[in-house]
Amino acid sequence: MRELTQGIKGMFCRQRLLCLLGFLLLVSDTFAQSVSLDSISSRFNRFSKSNLQEKVYLHTDKDLYLAGEIVWFKVYNVGSESNSLLDFSKIAYTEILDQDHKPVMQAKIALDKGTGNGSLHLPGDLSSGTYRIRSYTSWMKNFSADYFFEKPLHIVNTLAKPVRLPTASVRNYDIQFFPEGGSLVEGLASKVGFRVVDDSGRGVDFRGSIVDERNDTITRFRPLKFGIGNFIMETGSNKSYKAVLNLPGGQTRTVDLPQPNKSGFVMSLSETSGKLNVSIAGNTSDAREILLLVHTRQQTRLAEKLRLNEGKAVYQIDKSILGDGISHFTVFSSSGQPVAERLYFKRPSSKLTFTVKPDQLQYGKRKKVTLDLAAITENGAATLAEASVGVYASNGLSSNSTDILNYLWLKSDLRGNIEDPGYYLKNTDPQANEALDNLMLTHGWRRFVWEEAMGGKPAAITFLPEIEGHIISAKLTDSRTNSPAGGIVSYLSVPGKNVRLYTARSNTSGDLKFYTKDIYGPSELVAQTNYKQDSTYHIELLSPFSAKTTNYSLLSDPLTENFKDELLTLSVGNQVQNVYLNEKLRTFYAKPQDSVSFYLKPDKSYLLDNFVRFNTMEEVLREYVLEVPVTRQRDEFSVWVSFKPHYNDTYKNVEPLVLYDGVPVFDRGTKMVKYDPKKVKTIDVLTKKYYQGPVTFNSIINFKSYKNNLPDFQLDSRATVVDYEGTQLRREFYSPVYETEAQAADRLPDFRNLLFWLPDAAIDASGKRKMTFYTSDQKGKYTIVVQGITPSGQPGVASSTFEVK
């Protein structure tokens, strides 16, 4: 993976657009042609090596918030094949969406070596409800939104009157059936998984039966856990089947089962004494030879050709050859067609164990708490780990069990909601093992389609990976025809002290890509073409956030009267913090950006306050800035840069790029020569060529104002000027210190329910780390949660509690 990532970075350094060749597997054969069984494994291996996949996980400080609180989070970006941190994408897009999938808040989070952290200050007027927080990278936008990290976020507005939604007289249920391997086939026995959930997305208990077209009962069934289970049935020729379900509340639903195919293959997976038995049956004319391909996270574990005897074959696999986590079992027919697929989960053998212990079990108000954090491997050895730690009031309101362990091993490769994903990894009894296999039957899916893997239909790549910094996309159109304009150079400027200028040339579809760096926090962007040459074009900056959404509802937890006292306590604490600690909650770290302009050090820089001030800029340039001669024709001026290309050469004049506070001025300098010189602080002159993307500048003159804000300067009306939120500035987490008696006696109220948040709790080779914080005035039980991952990709979770009296 390291070699792949370095190779991709190298390609971007040479020519960014060609990087896509490193991600696509382009071969000439398609599934319309016969694909030999011998070539399938090699094709899949080539695809796997070239098809980099990312996973993003978000550790939030808690799962339930009040409107007006801050959501703190840590971003982990890993490679899907190893779960190890991936130093690839440099930006993670994080959003909170409402029930209609509309964004409530959005942020761009800087990533460094696979991690980053940020915060979202919830608006005080948000309605109560279940929202979703999600996160993804630019590269992930090329694929389904099902790849994005997503989990429910419960938000309560205690200051707004609750909206009473009408109660449905009849509850709705989502009922689905999943034949093992993919299809029912006439005359062949199959295991069928099923899943039934209610409006809230939670599984229900029920009784069901399968009947044929004559209403004869074929089999009866009921769920094992979370509304999920399975049954076995054999289908007859020219028959149809229905499921009759007796649901809670006396409801009865009748649902058609998938129609059996006339011919095809079925597969079945069973486990005995550490061995997996794969049974395959087919009734087609080519049911003679098949290929069984098994891979774990796109790493091939087995590729075996099998002969079918009277349309049947059984193959036994030692579980030790499989990788940890989810493995895919795929059957290919003799013509190379994928005909059946099944998922299997192997519990991780290598485990990261976190321990977190407070130095006491009980504390008084405003007392010091010391946490001892340790990370060890399954054999008891200390290990390095990247971790994040949160300490919050235990209120019983949160029930979401998604953590980095069950997300990376399980949830990230399964479709839709998983009720209590932690159950499947925490429990190893026979019922949990059966429930886990039912989960594979009903939620299983893959991160690609076989047409792509075999080379017939390469994935459509629209979004480039941001391996150097944020890419701002724009659309260039001809304002006369409103059609895309290709081949036009455009300029994107960020006015300010440290000049940022980016250039791009539009493609035939009018698409522009500005490869930016160091744009943090709220900024003003100026996008324009050279209106002296390209005067009829309009630039529209595009949102970098994905419009794709998932098509399922999140699990919801309606609040009841039992939580009234807890919500009152949280509400009072939230209001106190917003009144007394408002400024501290709005403190940010300094912008982590370069201190020089994009052209680095100028050849000459003139601080005009060091000279006698003239009344016109023409006099300033003629008298002081010797490298910038000025010519005049009637009322129009032109500025030049004069320099010697070589020591013995004569001086030559070249046309410069003229900037004011970093914004290009395309009129040969007329505006600047006529501008009030008393508003200009500095003039920088670059007397050599400068290469910027697709453009070469013979030289550069940059006029800088005192406040770097283009004072009283009229930009061309064709320029696009927008307020833009760059990469998020990092907010400081406020945690008061009560080290002395005077500090503890401070009369300022402290009703914090989030006592501590440390997103960068890195653990060194000793496997240990110590951290301290102080309790607040709020009594009650508190929960400590630690989540993290080792360099080799082993995730871990730990929790502990203490009480404040």
Side-chain angles (χ1 to χ4, degrees):
M1 175 52 62
R2 180 179 300 173
E3 289 78 5
L4 174 63
T5 303
Q6 290 175 345
I8 293 171
K9 286 187 175 182
M11 285 189 288
F12 265 80
C13 292
R14 293 189 295 270
Q15 190 174 359
R16 293 181 175 91
L17 294 180
L18 293 179
C19 80
L20 299 183
L21 297 177
F23 292 89
L24 299 179
L25 180 66
L26 301 177
V27 294
S28 59
D29 292 334
T30 68
F31 272 118
Q33 302 169 320
S34 178
V35 179
S36 70
L37 295 181
D38 293 327
S39 70
I40 290 175
S41 179
S42 60
R43 289 171 185 239
F44 176 71
N45 289 337
R46 289 170 56 194
F47 171 81
S48 299
K49 292 178 181 178
S50 303
N51 192 48
L52 177 67
Q53 296 283 351
E54 295 177 294
K55 293 182 185 179
V56 166
Y57 174 74
L58 219 63
H59 174 198
T60 57
D61 58 307
K62 50 186 180 178
D63 296 315
L64 182 135
Y65 299 86
L66 301 185
E69 283 193 310
I70 297 175
V71 179
W72 302 88
F73 56 86
K74 168 74 171 281
V75 183
Y76 296 85
N77 186 35
V78 305
S80 63
E81 82 294 341
S82 66
N83 282 345
S84 57
L85 292 173
L86 188 62
D87 187 16
F88 186 63
S89 291
K90 293 298 184 288
I91 300 292
Y93 297 93
T94 302
E95 304 178 274
I96 295 178
L97 307 181
D98 64 15
Q99 292 88 338
D100 297 321
H101 298 279
K102 303 298 183 184
V104 173
M105 303 197 73
Q106 298 176 318
K108 309 172 190 74
I109 307 301
L111 298 179
D112 181 29
K113 298 179 182 178
T115 67
N117 62 85
S119 61
L120 294 169
H121 200 159
L122 299 174
D125 58 354
L126 275 183
S127 300
S128 298
T130 301
Y131 294 73
R132 65 187 74 207
I133 186 168
R134 68 176 189 169
S135 190
Y136 50 89
T137 66
S138 176
W139 178 246
M140 292 169 66
K141 291 191 294 183
N142 291 298
F143 312 103
S144 167
D146 290 303
Y147 295 110
F148 300 171
F149 171 85
E150 189 171 275
K151 77 168 185 177
L153 208 64
H154 307 295
I155 299 175
V156 180
N157 191 331
T158 56
L159 302 181
K161 185 176 181 179
V163 177
R164 300 294 181 185
L165 299 177
T167 303
S169 58
V170 179
R171 300 205 69 172
N172 292 319
Y173 294 94
D174 181 29
I175 304 170
Q176 298 184 60
F177 292 90
F178 307 87
E180 184 176 21
S183 302
L184 294 173
V185 179
E186 290 186 359
L188 300 178
S190 290
K191 180 186 288 187
V192 179
F194 60 85
R195 178 174 181 262
V196 180
V197 298
D198 60 17
D199 304 277
S200 69
R202 300 192 177 279
V204 298
D205 190 23
F206 65 93
R207 301 294 184 273
S209 59
I210 302 298
V211 299
D212 61 15
E213 71 279 2
R214 296 185 302 180
N215 283 330
D216 291 337
T217 299
I218 306 301
T219 188
R220 300 182 187 277
F221 60 96
R222 65 175 296 185
L224 175 70
K225 195 169 184 64
F226 304 128
I228 305 174
N230 73 78
F231 57 84
I232 296 175
M233 64 177 292
E234 183 173 339
T235 59
S237 299
N238 300 316
K239 296 179 74 67
S240 60
Y241 301 90
K242 297 180 183 293
V244 181
L245 286 76
N246 298 314
L247 297 162
Q251 287 193 52
T252 300
R253 290 278 303 276
T254 301
V255 180
D256 291 331
L257 255 63
Q259 185 65 34
N261 296 330
K262 292 289 184 181
S263 62
F265 290 82
V266 298
M267 72 180 301
S268 176
L269 198 63
S270 60
E271 183 175 355
T272 55
S273 303
K275 304 286 186 180
L276 293 177
N277 302 306
V278 185
S279 300
I280 302 158
N283 64 358
T284 66
S285 58
D286 62 346
R288 299 180 302 276
E289 186 178 62
I290 59 171
L291 176 73
L292 175 62
L293 179 68
V294 182
H295 72 88
T296 306
R297 297 189 301 279
Q298 295 184 210
Q299 297 180 14
T300 300
R301 298 291 176 168
L302 175 75
E304 190 76 24
K305 283 195 289 187
L306 305 176
R307 298 289 300 181
L308 275 69
N309 183 15
E310 296 182 355
K312 296 181 180 180
V314 178
Y315 189 78
Q316 193 172 72
I317 299 174
D318 193 320
K319 285 172 56 177
S320 62
I321 72 169
L322 302 178
D324 292 342
I326 293 177
S327 293
H328 295 67
F329 289 68
T330 308
V331 175
F332 292 85
S333 68
S334 58
S335 61
Q337 295 282 351
V339 292
E341 191 163 66
R342 172 71 151 84
L343 268 61
Y344 174 79
F345 186 85
K346 179 183 176 182
R347 296 185 183 278
S349 56
S350 300
K351 297 181 180 179
L352 167 65
T353 300
F354 279 124
T355 60
V356 57
K357 295 180 180 179
D359 56 337
Q360 298 175 211
L361 295 180
Q362 292 184 353
Y363 299 88
K365 295 185 293 185
R366 303 194 179 192
K367 296 300 181 182
K368 186 176 183 179
V369 180
T370 300
L371 296 182
D372 287 312
L373 176 60
I376 57 176
T377 62
E378 67 278 1
N379 58 10
T383 181
L384 293 163
E386 182 71 34
S388 43
V389 181
V391 182
Y392 58 91
S394 309
N395 48 49
L397 297 173
S398 300
S399 60
N400 177 49
S401 65
T402 299
D403 57 44
I404 192 172
L405 182 66
N406 58 57
Y407 182 80
L408 294 184
W409 281 125
L410 192 67
K411 194 172 185 296
S412 60
D413 286 320
L414 299 177
R415 187 186 297 275
N417 287 319
I418 300 178
E419 186 176 350
D420 193 6
Y423 165 82
Y424 299 97
L425 291 180
K426 289 185 296 185
N427 300 283
T428 58
D429 56 85
Q431 178 175 310
N433 290 335
E434 185 180 352
L436 180 58
D437 196 56
N438 286 335
L439 187 71
M440 296 297 105
L441 280 172
T442 56
H443 285 73
W445 66 314
R446 58 173 179 254
R447 287 178 164 266
F448 57 91
V449 293
W450 281 109
E451 285 82 355
E452 296 175 10
M454 295 299 104
K457 186 181 178 182
I461 301 302
T462 304
F463 303 97
L464 298 178
E466 295 175 313
I467 65 173
E468 294 177 328
H470 178 41
I471 300 174
I472 296 180
S473 299
K475 197 77 172 180
L476 184 68
T477 55
D478 191 325
S479 56
R480 298 168 299 182
T481 62
N482 204 32
S483 58
I488 305 300
V489 173
S490 301
Y491 303 81
L492 182 70
S493 311
V494 187
K497 178 180 180 182
N498 304 317
V499 177
R500 297 288 175 263
L501 175 68
Y502 309 97
T503 58
R505 189 186 301 275
S506 60
N507 63 14
T508 54
S509 299
D511 297 324
L512 293 166
K513 303 291 184 185
F514 296 102
Y515 295 85
T516 73
K517 290 185 68 176
D518 302 325
I519 301 180
Y520 287 88
S523 300
E524 184 179 68
L525 302 186
V526 180
Q528 56 185 330
T529 59
N530 186 340
Y531 51 80
K532 287 296 183 180
Q533 300 174 0
D534 310 304
S535 60
T536 61
Y537 299 109
H538 172 71
I539 300 175
E540 178 188 5
L541 298 185
L542 306 179
S543 170
F545 293 92
S546 177
K548 297 178 181 178
T549 59
T550 52
N551 59 4
Y552 55 86
S553 301
L554 291 175
L555 297 174
S556 60
D557 291 299
L559 298 175
T560 66
E561 288 294 324
N562 297 335
F563 298 125
K564 183 177 180 179
D565 293 339
E566 286 87 347
L567 287 175
L568 178 61
T569 300
L570 293 174
S571 179
V572 171
N574 183 38
Q575 294 177 64
V576 168
Q577 282 202 97
N578 286 331
V579 170
Y580 290 98
L581 302 178
N582 185 52
E583 289 302 317
K584 296 186 181 296
L585 297 176
R586 298 177 180 273
T587 303
F588 297 86
Y589 292 99
K591 293 183 180 181
Q593 65 181 27
D594 293 337
S595 59
V596 295
S597 299
F598 75 94
Y599 49 78
L600 303 179
K601 184 179 180 180
D603 295 302
K604 286 292 183 67
S605 184
Y606 294 88
L607 179 60
L608 298 189
D609 287 339
N610 291 338
F611 301 89
V612 175
R613 283 290 192 170
F614 288 106
N615 292 323
T616 67
M617 184 63 73
E618 181 183 6
E619 293 175 289
V620 172
L621 295 174
R622 291 187 187 279
E623 294 296 327
Y624 302 138
V625 189
L626 302 182
E627 295 81 10
V628 181
V630 180
T631 60
R632 180 173 182 174
Q633 186 174 7
R634 296 178 181 171
D635 198 36
E636 298 295 319
F637 293 88
S638 295
V639 296
W640 307 85
V641 169
S642 179
F643 69 100
K644 287 184 178 183
H646 300 92
Y647 179 76
N648 293 325
D649 290 346
T650 58
Y651 282 92
K652 62 179 295 187
N653 291 343
V654 296
E655 183 179 349
L657 170 69
V658 178
L659 305 172
Y660 186 31
D661 284 337
V663 177
V665 182
F666 300 108
D667 63 355
R668 299 293 302 275
T670 294
K671 278 190 176 181
M672 293 311 304
V673 173
K674 295 180 178 180
Y675 190 67
D676 184 355
K678 295 183 177 62
K679 296 179 180 178
V680 176
K681 179 181 179 181
T682 306
I683 300 176
D684 286 348
V685 182
L686 191 71
T687 62
K688 53 181 175 289
K689 286 188 176 182
Y690 185 86
Y691 301 91
Q692 169 70 283
V695 185
T696 300
F697 303 121
N698 292 317
S699 58
I700 297 174
I701 306 173
N702 185 27
F703 298 83
K704 296 182 179 180
S705 66
Y706 284 89
K707 294 185 178 180
N708 310 112
N709 60 351
L710 303 165
D712 300 322
F713 188 81
Q714 188 67 41
L715 290 172
D716 189 90
S717 60
R718 288 159 289 195
T720 298
V721 183
V722 297
D723 291 327
Y724 193 82
E725 190 69 32
T727 305
Q728 188 183 74
L729 291 171
R730 184 176 172 186
R731 190 190 306 266
E732 291 187 33
F733 179 78
Y734 174 68
S735 181
V737 175
Y738 301 118
E739 191 72 45
T740 65
E741 291 185 7
Q743 291 173 327
D746 190 343
R747 298 180 63 182
L748 190 69
D750 181 1
F751 285 175
R752 291 172 297 126
N753 64 76
L754 178 65
L755 299 182
F756 186 65
W757 169 250
L758 183 63
D760 297 322
I763 301 173
D764 61 23
S766 69
K768 296 180 180 180
R769 176 157 182 163
K770 195 180 293 288
M771 53 199 73
T772 62
F773 58 91
Y774 291 83
T775 63
S776 67
D777 297 335
Q778 186 169 311
K779 299 178 182 179
K781 290 185 178 181
Y782 287 83
T783 299
I784 310 164
V785 174
V786 179
Q787 300 192 38
I789 194 167
T790 67
S792 62
Q794 297 301 325
V797 179
S799 64
S800 185
T801 61
F802 62 85
E803 188 174 6
V804 176
K805 290 190 172 182

